[in-house]
């Protein structure tokens, strides 16, 4: 069967949005001086996450090269989020927003649909 399955494009769209929130978390916490623990947590979370995304893209019909390039493009969402996080006013409400984002990701990744 030819072509890339829709699941690949949906995965990339979701991963880009996820990367924006990761970048936002990094920007906010670095702006408040507590970015290193967040960076370590994001790194530990992202390594297996991106390996799984790569497998999904390849299984959905992408070549390995295309999957890597698409994942690189998706990762630029983290840069966008980080710039936003560094440029917005920070306060306790932003920590609550970032924490809530991580709880959401954990819950949707671990709980059955």
């Amino acid at each position: 069967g030819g072509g890339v399955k829709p699941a690949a494009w949906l995965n990339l769209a979701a991963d880009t949005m996820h990367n924006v929130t990761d970048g936002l978390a990094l920007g906010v916490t670095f702006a408040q001086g507590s970015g290193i623990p967040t960076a370590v947590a994001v790194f530990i979370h992202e390594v297996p996450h991106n390996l799984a995304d790569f497998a999904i893209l390849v299984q959905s019909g992408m070549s390995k090269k295309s999957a890597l390039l698409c994942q690189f493009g998706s990762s630029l969402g983290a840069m966008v989020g980080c710039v936003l996080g560094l440029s917005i006013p920070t306060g306790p409400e932003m920590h609550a927003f970032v924490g809530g984002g991580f709880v959401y990701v954990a819950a949707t990744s671990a709980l059955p649909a």
Side-chain angles (χ1 to χ4, degrees), residues 27-55:
V28 166
T29 55
F30 270 103
Q32 293 188 341
S34 59
I36 298 296
T38 304
V40 170
V42 168
F43 177 78
I44 290 169
H45 155 79
E46 283 299 318
V47 170
H49 179 91
N50 282 312
L51 288 173
D53 284 341
F54 177 77

Side-chain angles (χ1 to χ4, degrees), residues 21-84:
T21 61
D22 282 348
L24 183 63
L26 289 167
V28 166
T29 55
F30 270 103
Q32 293 188 341
S34 59
I36 298 296
T38 304
V40 170
V42 168
F43 177 78
I44 290 169
H45 155 79
E46 283 299 318
V47 170
H49 179 91
N50 282 312
L51 288 173
D53 284 341
F54 177 77
I56 289 169
L57 296 177
V58 171
Q59 288 295 313
S60 295
M62 281 191 177
S63 69
K64 290 177 182 176
K65 181 180 179 181
S66 291
L68 284 173
L69 289 172
C70 285
Q71 280 201 287
F72 175 77
S74 171
S75 70
L76 296 177
M79 299 299 288
V80 171
C82 190
V83 169
L84 286 172

